[in-house]
Amino acid sequence: SLGGYDHYMLKEIFEQPESIRNAMRGRLDDQDATAVFGGLNLTPQQLRSVERIILTGCGTSWHSALVGEYLIEGLARIPVSVEYASELRYRNPPIENNTLVFGITQSGETADTLAALRETKRKGHRTLAICNVVASSIAQAADGGVYLHAGPEIGVASTKAYTSQCCVLAMLALYFGRTRHLSFEGGQRLIEELRRLPTAVQQALTCDEQVRDVAKKYCDATNVLYLGRQYNFPTALEGALKLKEISYIHAEGYPAAEMKHGPIALVDEKTPSVFIVPRGTTHDKVMANMEEVKARGGPIIAVASHDDPHIEAIADDVIRVPQVQEFLQPIVTVVPLQLLSYHIALLRGCDVDKPRNLAKSVTVE
Ligand code: F6R
């Protein structure tokens, strides 16, 4: 049931502190400063011998794969490639031995993701699923996997499944890191940050009312750009996809610095840009990218950290999110973007939970 919310999408956005808590429940191991997973079905030797990881999925799940690439390469130093499942299944790429393939999927029924996993498994590679729906086709087809435990996601636009996927990938990065160079203290620090996450997401949700005002200002736009770098580049893609899906506004996500290689030509006073610019290593670079857009008269919405005093001087609207370590930022920064698309869609009279032309799971090619 809707539990007092107007739509499933809104309910599921607000469930995220809890769904993230559920993704972590029983999986953080203080004793060994690592993460534990019941269903990987791989021996420690097999896991230790992994030399390469492929993350594959579709749509929003593909975006979480991109976050996973930054996480696993950054924290565990294992080379990762991210593949659209629809491309992977026919591309026949050479895959080295000791490659582990993860299919990421909320429903566990996406035809392309299932086919990509089956094809790589047939060739003898180990396949695992990161999946929400228990005993779904992909969960059964894989050699093992990790459930999200996010609870049913009914709104067609994926929200809580995405943040849970990112959270599981962060725990996998911790786990793989601890089988390699990541120290006990390093593992402890990551666990501490993970434990803070549900509260941070709870705080991020308090921006809802302010996001509603921002939505009023921009709901008539016909094009919106979403820009972020590093861990927040996938957030830009996901923010743009959410807006396209449920409000039917054309939106594009880019790594912020790619702007000047083409998309900046789109900027005018009617084309807002959403910058995801929390504190972190690329903060100042993204600020410089913001200046470039401002100089061309483009309205700017910034998703920024609480303690960032300089942002108001450039951005027309600032949505504040709590500061978390960079590797967890995508889970926090996506929250206002989910809400922004929700409120804009409402203002435009769109059917938020059942957007046109879309189905909750895509079981055809
Ligand atoms: C976006 C959305 C779709 C799905 C995609 C994959 O909001 O819902 O892009 O993410 O169809 O679905 P799953 O994760 O079920 O494989």
Side-chain angles (χ1 to χ4, degrees), residues 126-146:
R126 294 194 173 276
T127 59
L128 297 173
I130 297 174
C131 180
N132 196 33
V133 177
V134 174
S136 53
S137 304
I138 293 170
Q140 291 184 47
D143 297 313
V146 185

Side-chain angles (χ1 to χ4, degrees), residues 157-187:
S158 185
T159 53
K160 64 176 178 175
Y162 175 73
T163 47
S164 291
Q165 286 164 348
C166 294
C167 184
V168 163
L169 287 159
M171 290 187 292
L172 282 168
L174 163 64
Y175 178 82
F176 281 112
R178 288 287 292 135
T179 65
R180 293 170 164 76
H181 69 282
L182 186 65
S183 69
F184 184 84
E185 289 73 23

